[in-house]
Amino acid sequence: MSSGNKHYWKALEEKEGGPEFLKDAARDLVERGPRHFGRRDFLKAAGFTVGTAFATGCRRAPLQKAIPLLSQPEEIVPGRCLFYASTCGGCSAGCGLLAKVRDGRPIKLEGNPEHPFSNGGLCATGQASILGLYDSQRLQHPLKQGNKISRDAADREILARLASIRSQHGAVRFLTGTITSPSVLAALEEVLKSLPDARHVVYDPVSNSALLDAYAQTHGTRLLPRFHFESAGVIASFDADFLGTWISPVEYTAAYRAGRNLEERRVSYHVQFEPRMSVTGTKADQRFAVAPGDFGVLLTHLTGLVAKRAGISLNWAEPDASPVPMSFLEGLAEQLWHARGRSLVLCGSQAIEEQVLANYLNHLLGSYGTTIDLERPSLQMQGNDQDLESLVRELHAGKVHALFVYGVNPAFDLPGGDELRGVLSRVPLLVSFSQRMDETAFLAGYVLPEPHFLESWNDTEAVNGVASISQPTVHPFGETRSLLETLSAWNGKSKSGYELLRESWRARVFPRQKKESNFDAFWDRSVHDGYTEVEAAVFKTKPFDLRAVQPILRSSAALDKFALVLYPTVSMLDGRNAYNPWLHELPDPISKVTWDNYASLSPAAAKKLGVNNGDVIHLDASRTGLRTLELPAYIQPGQHDRVVGVALGYGSKLSARFAKVGPQWIDALLSVGDNGLVGQNVASYLELKNGVLHYSSTQVTLSRTGKQRELACTQIHNTLTVPEHLRPGGSGARPIVQETTLAAFLKDPQSGVEDDEEKEDLWPTDHPYTGPRWGMVIDLNACTGCSSCVIACQIENNIPVVGRDEVRRNREMHWMRIDRYYSESDHGQVDVAHQPLMCQQCENAPCETVCPVLATVHSEDGLNQQVYNRCVGTRYCANNCPYKGRRFNWFNYSHDDQLQNLVLNPDVTVRSRGVMEKCTFCVQRIQEAKIEAKRRGEKVVDGAAQTACQQSCPAHAIYFGDLNDPSSRVSKMMQNPRRYRVLEELNVRPAVGYLTVVRNRDQESKEEQHG
Amino acid sequence: MTETLNQSRLRNYLGGTFLTLVLLTALAFSLLVLVPKFNAYALPGNQRGYEPAQPIAFSHRLHAGELQVQCLYCHSGAERSRHAGIPATNVCMNCHRFVSAPLGAIRAEDDAAKKEGREPRRVVSPEIRKIYDALAINDQMKPDATKASKPIQWVKVHNLPDFVYFDHRPHVNAGVACQKCHGPVETMERVRQVEDLSMGWCVNCHRAVDRTGLDGKGNFTAASAPAAQASTPVSHRVYASIDCSTCHY
C-alpha cells in the first residue's frame, strides 16, 4: 500500500513479495481437508448431536442464592463501582492511578487524570499489574528455607541473628531497587543506624547510574533531573528510549505529545540516534542507526559544532569519522542552537564520559532551567552502580553477614550467573521480601513476602514536590507485611501501615505545605486525591564544571564483531513482569513477537549471515566464562548492521508456569522453550565494571546453528494489504497509513489524505441515528505504539490469553491490535508508523449482512453489536471483515484458577468456545453512562463514556464520543482536515477516523522523501 | 478393483450401518443416563410460578401491603444500580430493633406480666430471632459471643441467564411500577415469580412503550411526554431501546 509514492510494508517478505509472505498471509484461509465422511453419515451425526443437545439442555435453572451484606456501608451499592485514587507500583515512576473497585476488590486500573505528571495515562505494565494481585503463585506467608513459619517466629529469629551480627560488627547490607517512599527510607535509616556496619545499596536493574554520576561530575550533586518535553522545541536523543522504557515513559509521552500540537502549529523537532529500533525511534522525525561504540565520537562532533556556534574554541583533537553525515550534524547543531533555551539533549548511555558531553551540550544550549529542571529533580531512579559493584566484591570475598533484598532480583538480573547465585546462597543471613518465589527468594533463608501495592498502604515521592499515597483497595490476601511495617516492627514499633504512614506524613510531609493547617483535613484530601503538592526539597547544585568535559576521540565499535545490545522491552521491563501472561502475549511494539526473546539483526546483517526469521543463531562472546547463547534470529529493519539486540527480562523462573498456558489439545505445543521458561536470560552478558552496569559493551560473533524456532510473531497476521500481483488491474496499493511532512501540512492541512469521493448509499434511511452516534478518532501522530490500549482493552473486556502456539496460528484474541508499518525514508533508513486497529463499527458493515442468525446487527447509536448468546460460530462475519477486526473463540479459554478470575469484569460476558467477539466500543461503559445520565435526568456529557483504550492512552491519542453532538471533541476531530478513514473506498463507512502522521520534515512532497 | 474393496471396507467403519448402530446406542445410553435429570421441563413459561422457601419467612404482604413500607426502602439498589438487591440485615434492624414479635404476642406477654405482677419480658418471635442470630446479637440487642455472625442466604426468585445484563435503573427512573414485572408482591406471603421474564416478554413491552406510552394510554411521565420529547435531552426521553446491546454485551 502506499500513500502517494511511499510504499508500506509490515514484514520484509511483504516488501519483497516473496512466496514466504503469501504462504504465511494466506494461513488464515488454509484449511485441512476433512476425512472421508459421507453426506448421510454427516446428517446422522448432526441429528444425534441436536437430539442430545435438546434432551440435555432442558433443565430447570439451578438454585441461586442472593446473599446481602450483614451491615452495608452507605457508599457501597452492589453493582456500582467505587474509584479510589492510588499510586502505581509497577515501576518506580510513580504514576497516579484510579482503582475501580467492585464488590470489594479492584477490577481495573486507570490513570488519574488530575495527576500532575502522568496526566491520566497508564502504561501497559501499570494496567497489567492488577493481575499480580490475583496471582495464586504469590507467597501468602513467611517462609524459612522454603517452609512456612509464623511471622513472629521469623521476626524473632532474624532480630536474634542481627543482634549477634551487631555484637560481632558484622556487615549488613540492604540491597534494594529505587525506593521513593520517604517513610520507608526513614524507617530504613533507623535500622541502619542501629547497626555498626550497615549500608543501603540501591541499584536499578535497568540502570541510569552513569547519568547520575555525570551530574555529580558536572554539577557537584548526584541527581536525575526532570525533563520537560513540553517546553522543548528541538529534541536530540542519543539512545534514550524516553517514550518506551526510559525512566518515566508515561510522563514523558504526555509531555512530548503536548509539544507536538499540529492544531496549534507548535511542533517539536526530534532526532534519534540509536543502535536498534525503539519505540522512541519510531516517532522521531529523523533517525539514525549508530553502533554503541560510536556514540562517544558522535557526541564529540556535535559538541564541537555547537560550541563553535556558541563562540567557544574547544581545542580538541580531531575525533574519528562521525557515524552520521556531517552535513546532517551541521543542520542539527544549527537547529539546536537556533532553539537554545528550548533544546533538549538526552543520553541513555551508561558511559559517563558520553553523559558528561550531553550535559555540556545542554549547558551550552541553556537547557538548564528551561527544559531540564535541576532544582526540583526526579527521584525515580536512584541506583548507584558503584555501590553495587563494591557490594558484589564484598559478597565474593564473603564479607557480608546479612543481606536483605527488596524490590530487585539480583540472582536473575545481575551478571555473574551461577557464580553469583552461589555467592548469594552462601550469605549467612539472606532475607528476601519478594512477592513470589523468584530466583533470589529461592536462595534466601527467610522470605518475608511483601503485599501487592493494591492491598497495602504506601507512599511515594517519585518527583520532588509531589507526594503520593498508595492506598489499599482490598483486604490483604495472605499474611504479607509491607516493608514499612516490617522495618518499623524491627525498630520496635509494631503498628499498622496506616498508622505508620500517618505518623510519617505528620512529621515529614505535612510541614512542607502551607495550604492546610489541620493535619486530618490534609491527610483526607491527600488520600482522596492520591497525591499532594508540597514544597520541593532543595537540591544545591554547583555551577557547571567544565573540567569534567573530555572529548571522546576514538570509536570503540568493533569492525569485525557485533555489538550485543541488551535492552528492556515495554512488556517485560527488567523481568519483573515475567509472572504476567498478558504481558507475555502482548506483541512487542516494534517486532510484534510474543512469548519469546530473540536476537534481532538488521536485514543486511541477516542476509550476510544467511539467516531468516526463526533461524537459531549462536552468539559467542569474547569474554571468558560466559555460556554461549543460542537464540532465534529476528530481522529488524532500521537496526545498525553491526548490532545484535536481545531483550532483557526473559528466561525468568516465574515464567515456568506458562508451559501449558494455552488450550491443551492434541496438536498443542508448549508456550515455553527447551529450557522450560519463556525466552532466555541474558543478564550474564551485562558487565558490571568501573562502577557502571554496561548494557552494550559485550561483543559477539554470530554463527548459524541450523536449528529453527518459529517465533510467535503477529506482524503479518490480519494483513490489510494486498500483494501487487493479486490486485485488481489498475488499482494501486491501499492507502492504509497516510502521512505527510510538516512543510506540506503547513501549506495544506489536508496534505497526505487520500480522499475518496463519498459514494452513494443504496440504503440512506437505514440508520437515522436520532440519538447519540458513537464514533472514534485516533491521532496517528500522537500514537507511540506503547500498547497500553491493547492491555487496557484486554482487562476491561475479559479477553483471554491463548498461549504461544495459538498465537502462531493467528489466533491471538486481542480485540485491539497495533499494526506497525515500515516505509522507506531518506538515507536508507526506515520510517515507522503505528496504527491501532479494532472493529471499525462500520455503518454498511459487511459482517452484518452475512450472519445467518443475526448475531451481529447495527444499533440505533451507531455500534455494530455482537450478541454472544446468539452466535453459532459460522465465522462468515470474520471472513467478510475487510479490517480483520473479529476474533473467534476456538477453544474454551477460561481457566478454573479461581483467584485469577476475580479480575474479570462482571459487566462483560465471558465468551465460551464457538463464539465470535470483537471490539464493542466498550458498550458496557456506554450503557453505564447513558443509564446514569437518564437517572439524573441529564444529557450524556462528552467524556462520560470513555472507552478503556481511550482512558489508558498516555499520549491521549484516542478521541471517543458522540458524533451527533457538535461540541464533543470527537466531532471536532472528525472535521479535522487530517482525518481519513481506512479502506474508505470500500464504502463500508467506518465510525473510526484516523489523523495523518505528520513528520517534521522540510520536504514538501513524497518524491523528495525518497533517498 | 482392489482399491474399491479397500475403500468400502474403510467406509464401513466411518459410515453406513455401523455408524447408525453406534449413534443409536449412544442416544439410548444418554437418554437412560439423563432421564432422571428430566425432572422439570421448563421450556414454556420458564420459571413462572417459582415460589421457593426462604430462610426467614419474610412476608411482603405484611410489610409492603399492610404496613406500606415502600419497595425502594429495602430494595434501594433498584434506582441506583443494576441490581435491586436484597436489603442488608442492618436495614431490617432499623425496625426490628424495636419490633421483636407480632403485636398479639407482645400483648399476651403484657397481660400475663400484669396478672403475675412482674415486668413484662421481651418477646422475640422465632423468625425475628433468625435475624438476631445472623448478626450474632442476643435478645437484648447486645453482642452474643455464643453465636457466629453469618449473612442470611436468601433464595433468589427472579433469575435471568448470565448473558442478560438487565438494569433496574432505567426502568425505575422511567416510572415503571415494580408490580409491572414482579406482580402484586404486596399481596404475597412468599414471593413467587409471576411473569416468565422471557426475552419476548421484555421486547414486547419495549416495543409498546414508545407507541402507546407507559400506561398503554399514551401517557408518559410528565417530562417525557411526546410533545416535550423533541426538546428533552435524548438520554432522558422514555425510550425503550430494542437494540440487542441494550441487554446483551
Side-chain angles (χ1 to χ4, degrees):
Chain A
M1 77 152 182
S2 73
S3 180
N5 280 347
K6 259 200 159 197
H7 173 62
Y8 292 87
W9 68 92
K10 278 161 80 175
L12 275 170
E13 305 93 2
E14 201 179 328
K15 176 186 180 197
E16 276 126 41
E20 249 340 282
F21 164 68
L22 276 180
K23 192 164 58 136
D24 288 338
R27 213 208 291 254
D28 282 331
L29 312 166
V30 163
E31 297 170 49
R32 292 177 214 279
R35 280 196 300 241
H36 177 73
F37 195 53
R39 213 174 50 243
R40 292 190 181 173
D41 306 324
F42 170 75
L43 282 174
K44 276 181 212 159
F48 163 73
T49 316
V50 168
T52 40
F54 179 77
T56 58
C58 307
R59 279 212 300 272
R60 184 184 286 276
L63 188 75
Q64 281 208 26
K65 296 269 180 80
I67 309 177
L69 291 168
L70 269 180
S71 184
Q72 188 166 310
E74 82 177 71
E75 71 269 10
I76 292 187
V77 178
R80 281 186 82 95
C81 299
L82 291 171
F83 289 86
Y84 291 96
S86 185
T87 310
C88 182
C91 74
S92 52
C95 301
L97 58 76
L98 297 175
K100 178 176 173 187
V101 175
R102 172 89 177 251
D103 298 337
R105 67 182 189 279
I107 53 171
K108 180 86 172 40
L109 301 176
E110 277 138 24
N112 185 348
E114 288 165 13
H115 200 265
F117 59 85
S118 65
N119 277 305
L122 203 61
C123 70
T125 296
Q127 284 281 353
S129 60
I130 190 171
L131 193 59
L133 177 66
Y134 300 112
D135 184 358
S136 52
Q137 286 199 6
R138 213 152 50 95
L139 300 170
Q140 297 299 337
H141 42 70
L143 296 170
K144 178 184 174 182
Q145 306 289 354
N147 298 315
K148 182 173 173 179
I149 183 178
S150 84
R151 191 158 52 221
D152 291 334
D155 276 349
R156 259 197 320 269
E157 291 181 23
I158 292 174
L159 287 173
R161 297 278 289 273
L162 279 177
S164 84
I165 290 172
R166 186 185 295 124
S167 63
Q168 292 163 21
H169 288 267
V172 176
R173 302 284 176 261
F174 275 81
L175 180 62
T176 74
T178 296
I179 295 181
T180 52
S181 159
S183 315
V184 170
L185 288 172
L188 187 55
E189 206 34 59
E190 253 191 83
V191 172
L192 294 174
K193 270 208 292 253
S194 75
L195 295 157
D197 182 7
R199 280 178 58 207
H200 178 203
V201 176
V202 178
Y203 85 98
D204 300 306
V206 179
S207 176
N208 285 285
S209 183
L211 198 158
L212 280 83
D213 289 339
Y215 275 95
Q217 287 190 14
T218 57
H219 288 83
T221 319
R222 200 164 185 277
L223 55 76
L224 171 70
R226 261 197 92 187
F227 300 106
H228 288 282
F229 290 86
E230 67 276 14
S231 329
V234 180
I235 302 167
S237 168
F238 294 84
D239 202 15
D241 184 15
F242 58 88
L243 297 175
T245 53
W246 197 62
I247 303 173
S248 183
V250 173
E251 178 189 351
Y252 298 158
T253 303
Y256 179 81
R257 159 79 160 120
R260 289 174 88 84
N261 192 324
L262 287 158
E263 280 66 45
E264 291 175 26
R265 304 289 193 270
R266 190 186 68 239
V267 182
S268 60
Y269 178 62
H270 169 202
V271 180
Q272 183 88 0
F273 303 96
E274 54 185 13
R276 46 158 217 107
M277 181 70 75
S278 72
V279 167
T280 314
T282 65
K283 298 306 294 176
D285 298 307
Q286 296 287 358
R287 182 187 166 274
F288 288 89
V290 176
D294 283 337
F295 274 96
V297 167
L298 178 61
L299 278 161
T300 307
H301 275 284
L302 186 63
T303 311
L305 293 170
V306 173
K308 197 166 64 183
R309 281 166 176 77
I312 296 176
S313 49
L314 291 167
N315 295 326
W316 284 347
E318 186 62 29
D320 280 346
S322 160
V324 169
M326 282 308 286
S327 53
F328 180 80
L329 281 184
E330 287 271 2
L332 176 61
E334 186 56 42
Q335 292 255 28
L336 284 168
W337 183 250
H338 185 69
R340 61 190 180 283
R342 287 185 312 117
S343 313
L344 182 56
V345 175
L346 301 161
C347 185
S349 151
Q350 278 285 84
I352 301 182
E353 318 78 53
E354 291 170 18
Q355 290 282 357
V356 168
L357 278 175
N359 286 5
Y360 185 48
L361 270 167
N362 281 314
H363 171 72
L364 288 172
L365 294 166
S367 314
Y368 293 117
T370 54
T371 54
I372 302 185
D373 190 348
L374 293 177
E375 285 175 25
R376 277 185 309 255
S378 154
L379 298 163
Q380 289 152 331
M381 292 266 161
Q382 296 167 26
N384 189 329
D385 291 348
Q386 283 176 0
D387 287 351
L388 176 67
E389 203 181 1
S390 26
L391 174 64
V392 170
R393 245 183 268 125
E394 283 182 323
L395 283 167
H396 277 279
K399 290 217 180 92
V400 178
H401 295 89
L403 182 66
F404 295 83
V405 180
Y406 171 80
V408 283
N409 191 0
F412 170 79
D413 45 40
L414 287 181
D418 287 331
E419 208 192 323
L420 178 67
R421 279 186 277 276
V423 157
L424 282 170
S425 60
R426 284 194 290 276
V427 172
L429 177 63
L430 179 61
V431 179
S432 163
F433 296 96
S434 172
Q435 288 184 30
R436 291 173 186 82
M437 189 53 81
D438 59 21
E439 284 82 352
T440 310
F442 188 68
L443 302 170
Y446 292 90
V447 183
L448 303 176
E450 59 150 354
H452 192 271
F453 71 87
L454 287 170
E455 57 179 10
S456 60
W457 283 99
N458 283 307
D459 62 344
T460 343
E461 192 176 351
V463 159
N464 214 323
V466 178
S468 314
I469 297 242
S470 179
Q471 61 170 316
T473 51
V474 69
H475 259 298
F477 283 44
E479 271 181 65
T480 52
R481 188 175 57 178
S482 68
L483 185 64
L484 177 62
E485 290 169 326
T486 304
L487 293 173
S488 305
W490 291 352
N491 285 334
K493 269 193 299 196
S494 276
K495 291 194 184 151
S496 71
Y498 178 66
E499 289 164 328
L500 290 166
L501 213 59
R502 273 178 69 97
E503 263 180 32
S504 169
W505 272 52
R506 196 192 293 267
R508 284 179 201 93
V509 183
F510 179 56
R512 285 164 67 186
Q513 57 85 44
K514 292 189 184 52
K515 261 196 294 198
E516 254 145 318
S517 48
N518 178 312
F519 173 71
D520 285 314
F522 166 73
W523 171 261
D524 284 345
R525 187 182 56 74
S526 305
V527 174
H528 172 270
D529 294 347
Y531 70 96
T532 183
E533 305 210 36
V534 295
E535 276 163 28
V538 174
F539 268 73
K540 284 235 167 61
T541 52
K542 300 204 186 89
F544 194 91
D545 188 354
L546 292 159
R547 293 169 302 175
V549 180
Q550 292 298 326
I552 301 164
L553 302 171
R554 300 289 150 247
S555 152
S556 54
L559 295 163
D560 55 339
K561 294 212 179 84
F562 283 83
L564 178 64
V565 172
L566 302 172
Y567 62 95
T569 55
V570 157
S571 45
M572 282 299 122
L573 295 181
D574 51 16
R576 61 182 66 200
N577 295 331
Y579 71 90
N580 198 313
W582 289 334
L583 291 171
H584 274 295
E585 194 153 292
L586 179 68
D588 182 76
I590 311 293
S591 66
K592 301 298 172 200
V593 175
T594 64
W595 293 104
D596 241 328
N597 65 345
Y598 42 86
S600 57
L601 293 170
S602 76
K607 199 166 175 188
K608 201 155 161 222
L609 199 56
V611 291
N612 234 317
N613 279 344
D615 288 338
V616 177
I617 57 174
H618 198 89
L619 285 88
D620 227 332
S622 42
R623 288 207 319 270
T624 50
L626 278 178
R627 245 200 313 230
T628 51
L629 197 56
E630 282 186 7
L631 284 168
Y634 176 82
I635 301 177
Q636 178 59 56
Q639 183 158 309
H640 189 271
D641 290 335
R642 300 225 62 84
V643 163
V644 58
V646 183
L648 294 164
Y650 282 87
S652 163
K653 218 165 163 294
L654 299 174
S655 64
R657 66 201 289 188
F658 296 126
K660 296 194 168 173
V661 68
Q664 297 306 304
W665 61 296
I666 201 166
D667 272 356
L669 296 176
L670 296 176
S671 288
V672 294
D674 293 332
N675 54 0
L677 306 167
V678 176
Q680 297 198 43
N681 186 7
V682 290
S684 39
Y685 283 76
L686 299 169
E687 263 193 292
L688 180 58
K689 72 166 191 249
N690 300 331
V692 167
L693 201 53
H694 293 273
Y695 294 85
S696 41
S697 59
T698 310
Q699 288 171 353
V700 292
T701 42
L702 305 177
S703 52
R704 287 165 41 203
T705 59
K707 290 189 270 198
Q708 284 249 324
R709 177 172 171 78
E710 194 183 342
L711 291 170
C713 180
T714 66
Q715 70 181 357
I716 49 172
H717 295 180
N718 307 305
T719 313
L720 269 60
T721 56
V722 180
E724 196 165 339
H725 61 283
L726 290 179
R727 285 179 209 148
S731 72
R734 289 172 154 183
I736 299 171
V737 168
Q738 300 182 10
E739 62 174 86
T740 181
T741 61
L742 183 62
F745 170 79
L746 289 172
K747 281 220 166 114
D748 173 22
Q750 259 204 316
S751 126
V753 174
E754 312 246 339
D755 216 359
D756 243 318
E757 295 164 10
E758 272 277 301
K759 294 189 169 62
E760 274 204 38
D761 207 353
L762 276 179
W763 313 277
T765 54
D766 220 17
H767 305 297
Y769 303 128
T770 49
R773 182 184 175 186
W774 305 105
M776 184 184 274
V777 172
I778 299 185
D779 187 350
L780 295 181
N781 207 37
C783 176
T784 62
C786 74
S787 309
S788 147
C789 52
V790 177
I791 296 284
C793 173
Q794 183 157 28
I795 304 175
E796 172 75 20
N797 294 297
N798 304 336
I799 295 173
V801 163
V802 300
R804 187 172 166 274
D805 186 41
E806 287 294 291
V807 174
R808 271 182 50 236
R809 294 167 205 267
N810 292 29
R811 291 173 175 178
E812 67 273 12
M813 291 302 283
H814 296 121
W815 290 1
M816 179 151 193
R817 64 175 191 267
I818 301 188
D819 288 337
R820 179 265 301 119
Y821 292 96
Y822 295 117
S823 57
E824 270 168 2
S825 167
D826 38 353
H827 44 258
Q829 299 286 347
V830 283
D831 282 342
V832 185
H834 299 282
Q835 183 174 57
L837 207 87
M838 74 301 280
C839 167
Q840 304 280 292
Q841 315 283 345
C842 309
E843 197 183 328
N844 290 342
C847 56
E848 288 169 8
T849 45
V850 298
C851 177
V853 294
L854 286 181
T856 176
V857 287
H858 214 71
S859 81
E860 288 161 330
D861 45 10
L863 297 178
N864 174 280
Q865 301 163 94
Q866 180 67 33
V867 187
Y868 306 121
N869 41 301
R870 181 92 182 145
C871 175
V872 290
T874 323
R875 306 194 296 281
Y876 197 161
C877 53
N879 196 29
N880 235 23
C881 175
Y883 304 98
K884 297 291 167 254
R886 287 171 160 274
R887 297 284 172 271
F888 187 69
N889 283 278
W890 293 96
F891 295 93
N892 264 326
Y893 294 120
S894 45
H895 286 246
D896 287 336
D897 183 335
Q898 298 286 342
L899 194 58
Q900 194 178 302
N901 289 346
L902 290 177
V903 83
L904 292 173
N905 185 352
D907 287 335
V908 178
T909 310
V910 175
R911 285 79 56 190
S912 78
R913 186 184 63 185
V915 166
M916 188 65 74
E917 59 184 57
K918 65 173 188 67
C919 165
T920 57
F921 272 1
C922 283
V923 65
Q924 67 277 5
R925 292 180 172 215
I926 294 174
Q927 283 293 97
E928 182 67 30
K930 274 164 59 178
I931 291 174
E932 273 300 299
K934 263 201 175 137
R935 183 172 83 87
R936 290 195 218 108
E938 296 163 357
K939 266 188 89 158
V940 179
V941 172
D942 183 34
Q946 285 197 7
T947 56
C949 51
Q950 170 196 19
Q951 195 162 42
S952 163
C953 180
H956 305 289
I958 303 180
Y959 301 89
F960 172 79
D962 182 3
L963 292 173
N964 276 351
D965 175 3
S967 63
S968 72
R969 291 192 75 192
V970 71
S971 301
K972 298 201 180 106
M973 279 300 160
M974 273 292 190
Q975 305 305 321
N976 192 317
R978 282 166 58 210
R979 193 266 302 150
Y980 72 97
R981 287 194 271 236
V982 178
L983 301 181
E984 200 147 16
E985 65 272 18
L986 299 177
N987 199 29
V988 293
R989 298 181 180 232
V992 179
Y994 290 88
L995 302 183
T996 54
V997 181
V998 179
R999 299 191 201 266
N1000 190 342
R1001 289 183 184 154
D1002 286 334
Q1003 305 95 323
E1004 287 178 29
S1005 67
K1006 276 146 221 120
E1007 283 88 15
E1008 289 178 35
Q1009 279 194 68
H1010 284 313
Chain B
M1 277 312 252
T2 342
E3 270 185 39
T4 333
L5 274 173
N6 281 342
Q7 273 182 333
S8 63
R9 202 167 296 214
L10 187 64
R11 213 182 301 135
N12 268 342
Y13 296 116
L14 292 176
T17 32
F18 184 77
L19 176 69
T20 320
L21 282 173
V22 167
L23 290 177
L24 279 175
T25 320
L27 183 63
F29 173 77
S30 52
L31 282 174
L32 272 170
V33 166
L34 294 164
V35 153
K37 291 193 165 58
F38 295 168
N39 52 10
Y41 265 103
L43 267 180
N46 282 355
Q47 299 257 68
R48 185 188 278 155
Y50 185 43
E51 196 173 350
Q54 297 288 348
I56 300 180
F58 175 81
S59 163
H60 275 90
R61 188 205 55 77
L62 170 64
H63 292 78
E66 207 176 301
L67 299 171
Q68 300 204 343
V69 178
Q70 295 292 311
C71 310
L72 288 174
Y73 178 83
C74 294
H75 300 283
S76 52
E79 62 178 352
R80 293 187 288 161
S81 151
R82 158 176 301 139
H83 312 292
I86 310 278
T89 320
N90 61 347
V91 175
C92 309
M93 291 306 287
N94 283 346
C95 294
H96 288 288
R97 275 201 294 241
F98 316 108
V99 181
S100 56
L103 188 59
I106 298 196
R107 285 223 177 99
E109 167 63 15
D110 267 350
D111 291 340
K114 211 182 288 185
K115 211 165 22 164
E116 290 163 22
R118 59 169 170 82
E119 282 299 309
R121 281 189 293 268
R122 193 184 181 90
V123 184
V124 178
S125 80
E127 292 300 312
I128 293 177
R129 182 167 286 120
K130 288 182 188 168
I131 308 178
Y132 299 165
D133 287 347
L135 285 166
I137 52 178
N138 59 20
D139 288 357
Q140 280 71 39
M141 308 294 120
K142 294 279 183 286
D144 189 339
T146 61
K147 297 182 190 172
S149 69
K150 190 173 181 218
I152 302 166
Q153 300 196 350
W154 302 96
V155 178
K156 204 167 171 222
V157 178
H158 302 87
N159 285 320
L160 289 174
D162 282 347
F163 48 79
V164 179
Y165 284 93
F166 174 76
D167 198 311
H168 274 91
R169 280 172 294 181
H171 299 84
V172 172
N173 288 303
V176 177
C178 309
Q179 288 80 353
K180 186 151 176 75
C181 307
H182 293 288
V185 176
E186 69 277 11
T187 62
M188 300 177 189
E189 279 294 338
R190 195 199 274 184
V191 175
R192 73 177 178 283
Q193 184 174 323
V194 167
E195 301 289 345
D196 70 349
L197 302 183
S198 65
M199 177 172 158
W201 172 80
C202 294
V203 172
N204 282 338
C205 184
H206 272 229
R207 281 193 174 131
V209 158
D210 284 340
R211 281 199 310 272
T212 60
L214 264 176
D215 60 357
K217 298 198 194 74
N219 289 323
F220 296 82
T221 60
S224 47
Q229 292 264 51
S231 56
T232 314
V234 167
S235 56
H236 189 54
R237 290 183 198 151
V238 173
Y239 163 69
S241 174
I242 50 169
D243 280 337
C244 305
S245 59
T246 309
C247 305
H248 295 299
Y249 49 84

